[in-house]
Amino acid sequence: MRATLQRVTRATCTVDGELTGQTGPGLLVLLGVAPGDTDATARALAAKIAKLRIFGDEQGRMNRSVQDIGGGILSVSQFTLYADTRGGNRPSFTAAAPPDHARALYHTFNAALRALGLPVGEGVFGAHMVLDLTNDGPVTLTLDLD
């Protein structure tokens, strides 16, 4: 499982002009799922993200987590995180999980975040989404549990 995190002051997701998810200060999480990922992988990644200290403390050091700041998460499924661009000019996505498997783990991941007390806005799995965000820092990290 792979996630790209962007620390944001706000982020929204719209599909066909309709708002589907949003967050204020917190994280935009782009989530990629691999074929071998499990419910345990999804829960472990959610726990790591919830506790990851990437928000500033009183001295401006990254010592606070999204939980610590009372922030939220906008979670968006992103199979393109598993793009293989080594051959030719067209990416291959064979390293990404099949849609049914990925959809189930995307929902498990979001439920795990909520169980940790985080408000979670969502994109729409498999839809063409438009994301609008204000990156804070900018801080962008990629976590890989493969």
Side-chain angles (χ1 to χ4, degrees), residues 34 58 78 87 97 99 116 120 122-123 126:
E58 295 76 20
Q78 185 85 25
L116 293 166
V120 179
E122 296 185 19

Side-chain angles (χ1 to χ4, degrees), residues 11-76:
T12 62
C13 177
T14 56
V15 175
D16 296 329
E18 200 168 312
L19 181 69
T20 66
Q22 64 184 341
T23 190
L27 297 171
L28 169 62
V29 178
L30 305 174
L31 182 72
V33 179
D37 291 334
T38 65
D39 285 352
T41 311
R43 287 191 297 273
L45 183 60
K48 175 80 173 177
I49 289 169
K51 294 178 176 94
L52 194 63
R53 297 184 315 174
I54 60 172
F55 292 88
D57 62 13
E58 295 76 20
Q59 289 78 39
R61 293 196 173 109
M62 287 192 207
N63 278 326
R64 300 176 74 203
S65 71
V66 68
Q67 288 178 316
D68 294 336
I69 68 158
I73 292 182
L74 175 58
S75 174
V76 175

Side-chain angles (χ1 to χ4, degrees), residues 64-111:
R64 300 176 74 203
S65 71
V66 68
Q67 288 178 316
D68 294 336
I69 68 158
I73 292 182
L74 175 58
S75 174
V76 175
S77 177
Q78 185 85 25
F79 76 94
T80 59
L81 291 179
Y82 279 100
D84 182 352
T85 58
R86 292 175 291 178
N89 293 319
R90 184 169 189 246
S92 169
F93 300 105
T94 59
D100 288 343
H101 182 67
R103 180 182 291 109
L105 289 184
Y106 171 63
H107 291 303
T108 298
F109 173 78
N110 292 337

